[in-house]
């Protein structure tokens, strides 16, 4: 298809020729993918026929064209239509084909939905979305201020529903707890986002809860945990968090059977802050020898060495480790493949490091509810990329009460039950 180009390289519509080529390529690729999806669906059901031998699943032209906003801009899509005449025996209703590539009523790609809360967190007002995005997306009519306002309201509803969901059917064997300071329109300077991330019995990681509170406040943590318990959450086997976190008082109150594991990243920073810079490199290496040891026995020996090397000169720094020795070494009582996950709060920190970089203090209008909803949507999107813990099949055995020595399974749950 030939396109007239102005002297400056733009097309009569005002966009660049390169942008037009990208959008046209995206349109053709999407059309081809939709055709292939429908053809595969029909081919799979070729043998489905009525009493007269007629096929029950056939092509039926195309749906009305619609515009979809993608990362390549706004493209017009004409999706193929399927006439599925089969009847669901359970409900008595007609079965329907639903595209996994382009769901019904889809008007924008998931990546666009991911960009909107990001921009909102940066302080971009709803009225600024159109001029900000039109340079990248071409026609931005479908991202009007009213559309963005409706989306933020929907995100708030999604967050509220998430925090009210039933947890009785979910079993979180391990959890990480942390209070993350993001500077996103929370009402007080000391406020933070309280976060719980858990590992399900099958080994996958999942966001458990996210709300505002105070990092040092045991009452804030207790409110969050009490709410989780009210909704049916079982006591985790092990909780990992910062030693200064108010969550520990809350766990002792709400889930007293849950064991504590202090985060070695936070502990290392606290210890080194109590020492002069000249002593920090050697102390850091000695601390690493503790949490990288082959087992609990070797770790205890490494702690004794740390006390021997630094106890006389830096007793306060050494006390930070010896006072919390049991909580720092708790992870050694579990499977060795899980140690790397359990000795720090990195599963939370790594996710929120990205969110933190994308947020800043702004003077724009917004509420605490808006900010929490935006953070929730960003974490919800990031959650799709979280990987399961190592040896995920063993997590269920941990819940069942299996015992581990030197990182190896020595007693299976059926033996424990006996």
């Amino acid at each position: 298809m030939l396109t007239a180009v102005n002297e400056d390289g733009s097309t009569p519509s005002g966009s660049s020729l390169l942008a037009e080529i990208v959008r046209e390529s995206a349109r053709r690729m999407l059309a081809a993918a939709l055709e292939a999806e429908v053809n595969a669906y029909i081919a799979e059901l070729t043998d489905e026929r009525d009493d007269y031998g007629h096929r029950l699943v056939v092509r039926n032209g195309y749906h009305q064209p619609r515009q979809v906003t993608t990362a390549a801009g706004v493209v017009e899509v004409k999706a193929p239509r399927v006439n599925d005449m089969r009847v669901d025996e359970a409900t008595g209703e007609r079965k329907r084909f639903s595209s996994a590539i382009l769901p019904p009523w889809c008007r924008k790609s998931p990546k666009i939905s991911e960009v909107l809360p990001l921009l909102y967190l940066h302080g971009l007002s709803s009225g600024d979305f159109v001029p900000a995005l039109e340079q990248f997306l071409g026609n931005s009519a479908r991202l009007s201020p009213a559309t963005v306002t409706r989306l933020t309201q929907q995100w708030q509803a999604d967050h509220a529903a998430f925090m009210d969901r039933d947890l009785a059917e979910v079993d979180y064997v391990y959890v990480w707890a942390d209070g993350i300071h993001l500077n996103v329109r929370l009402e007080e300077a000391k406020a933070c986002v309280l976060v719980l991330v858990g590992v399900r019995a099958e080994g996958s990681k999942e966001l458990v809860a996210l709300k505002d509170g105070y990092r040092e406040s045991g009452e804030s943590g207790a409110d969050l945990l009490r709410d989780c318990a009210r909704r049916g959450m079982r006591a985790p086997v092990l909780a990992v968090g910062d030693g200064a976190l108010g969550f520990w008082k809350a766990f002792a109150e709400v889930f007293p059977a849950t064991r504590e594991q202090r985060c070695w990243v936070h502990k290392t920073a606290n210890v080194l802050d109590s020492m002069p810079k000249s002593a920090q490199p050697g102390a850091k290496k000695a601390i690493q020898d503790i949490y990288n040891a082959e087992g609990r026995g070797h770790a205890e020996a490494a702690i004794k060495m740390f006390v021997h090397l630094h106890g006389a000169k830096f007793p306060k720094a050494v006390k930070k480790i010896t006072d919390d020795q049991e909580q720092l070494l708790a992870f050694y009582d579990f499977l060795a493949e899980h140690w790397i996950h359990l000795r720090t709060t990195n599963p939370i920190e790594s996710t929120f490091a990205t969110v933190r970089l994308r947020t800043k203090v702004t003077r724009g209008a917004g509420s605490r509810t808006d900010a929490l909803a935006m953070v929730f949507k960003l974490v919800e999107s990031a959650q799709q990329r979280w990987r399961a813990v190592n040896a995920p099949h063993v997590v269920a055995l941990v819940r069942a009460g299996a015992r581990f020595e030197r990182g190896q399974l020595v007693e299976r749950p059926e033996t424990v039950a006996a």
Side-chain angles (χ1 to χ4, degrees):
M1 180 178 64
L2 296 177
T3 303
V5 182
N6 300 325
E7 292 183 359
D8 60 359
S10 65
T11 64
S13 64
S15 63
S16 70
L17 178 60
L18 178 60
E20 292 286 353
I21 293 173
V22 170
R23 278 194 287 273
E24 177 62 17
S25 299
R27 185 194 66 78
R28 293 185 181 184
M29 290 177 65
L30 181 56
L34 292 172
E35 288 284 352
E37 183 184 35
V38 166
N39 290 339
Y41 181 81
I42 294 174
E44 184 180 352
L45 301 171
T46 300
D47 296 334
E48 296 282 345
R49 298 177 181 269
D50 61 16
D51 295 338
Y52 300 98
H54 299 149
R55 292 169 59 178
L56 293 175
V57 183
V58 295
R59 281 289 299 270
N60 189 25
Y62 291 89
H63 291 283
Q64 290 295 321
R66 54 173 156 157
Q67 291 186 325
V68 178
T69 304
T70 71
V74 178
V75 298
E76 186 172 273
V77 178
K78 196 174 182 182
R81 188 163 55 188
V82 176
N83 184 11
D84 193 335
M85 294 170 282
R86 296 175 300 156
V87 176
D88 190 322
E89 295 181 359
T91 64
E93 298 179 355
R94 285 271 299 272
K95 293 185 178 181
R96 295 180 180 275
F97 167 76
S98 181
S99 172
I101 299 173
L102 189 69
W105 315 113
C106 176
R107 291 293 183 272
K108 59 183 179 300
S109 71
K111 286 297 182 183
I112 300 301
S113 298
E114 197 172 319
V115 166
L116 296 181
L118 186 157
L119 293 177
Y120 192 89
L121 280 171
H122 270 287
L124 195 68
S125 67
S126 59
D128 293 332
F129 272 85
V130 175
L133 294 178
E134 64 184 359
Q135 298 298 321
F136 300 98
L137 305 179
N139 178 10
S140 57
R142 299 192 180 278
L143 295 176
S144 65
T147 300
V148 175
T149 299
R150 288 194 298 271
L151 283 173
T152 57
Q153 292 172 349
Q154 181 59 51
W155 294 330
Q156 292 174 20
D158 291 345
H159 180 234
F162 175 80
M163 290 300 294
D164 197 42
R165 75 196 190 287
D166 184 14
L167 297 177
E169 301 299 322
V170 186
D171 185 14
Y172 298 111
V173 180
Y174 302 132
V175 296
W176 295 273
D178 209 346
I180 307 295
H181 295 277
L182 295 175
N183 296 323
V184 285
R185 303 171 179 175
L186 298 180
E187 294 175 349
E188 298 185 37
K190 294 183 180 180
C192 68
V193 179
L194 300 178
V195 186
L196 276 183
V197 171
V199 176
R200 298 171 65 115
E202 65 270 20
S204 62
K205 297 173 187 172
E206 184 175 275
L207 179 66
V208 180
L210 183 152
K211 66 172 293 186
D212 59 333
Y214 299 91
R215 183 182 182 86
E216 308 294 337
S217 169
E219 189 57 33
S220 292
D223 285 343
L224 180 61
L225 293 180
R226 278 194 292 262
D227 180 64
C228 291
R230 176 188 61 81
R231 291 184 282 130
M233 179 177 170
R234 295 180 61 185
V237 175
L238 182 73
V240 187
D242 178 9
L245 199 62
F247 267 116
W248 296 124
K249 294 180 181 178
F251 272 107
E253 173 192 338
V254 183
F255 298 126
T258 299
R259 295 187 60 185
E260 299 179 18
Q261 168 64 48
R262 302 296 170 85
C263 171
W264 272 102
V265 170
H266 288 90
K267 179 60 70 175
T268 300
N270 291 337
V271 171
L272 297 182
D273 284 344
S274 303
M275 306 175 74
K277 289 187 177 180
S278 59
Q280 288 181 7
K284 184 176 182 180
K285 176 62 171 62
I287 293 173
Q288 291 173 341
D289 290 340
I290 299 172
Y291 64 76
N292 286 327
E294 296 179 16
R296 177 183 280 269
H298 290 85
E300 291 172 347
I303 290 179
K304 291 179 180 179
M305 179 59 67
F306 183 81
V307 173
H308 173 72
L309 293 174
H310 303 287
K313 293 183 178 180
F314 314 111
K316 290 184 179 180
V318 170
K319 197 170 186 293
K320 291 177 182 291
I321 289 182
T322 56
D323 284 357
D324 294 332
Q325 178 169 325
E326 182 58 34
Q327 292 82 3
L328 286 168
L329 302 184
F331 74 94
Y332 280 115
D333 294 335
F334 297 87
L335 186 73
E337 285 85 347
H338 294 174
W339 291 354
I340 191 172
H341 304 283
L342 301 179
R343 61 194 178 202
T344 72
T345 56
N346 280 350
I348 289 180
E349 292 289 346
S350 59
T351 295
F352 276 84
T354 303
V355 177
R356 189 183 285 111
L357 288 173
R358 295 176 177 180
T359 61
K360 63 180 180 180
V361 179
T362 68
R363 296 182 180 179
S367 68
R368 142 190 169 279
T369 306
D370 293 336
L372 286 173
M374 300 308 106
V375 173
F376 168 68
K377 296 308 289 186
L378 286 174
V379 175
E380 184 182 55
S381 175
Q383 182 177 254
Q384 300 174 11
R385 298 183 287 274
W386 293 351
R387 68 181 185 88
V389 297
N390 298 334
H393 61 284
V394 183
V395 177
L397 299 182
V398 174
R399 167 59 77 188
R403 188 166 59 88
F404 302 89
E405 288 184 1
R406 299 177 183 176
Q408 301 298 316
L409 178 67
V410 297
E411 189 173 351
R412 294 196 172 275
E414 52 265 28
T415 307
V416 174

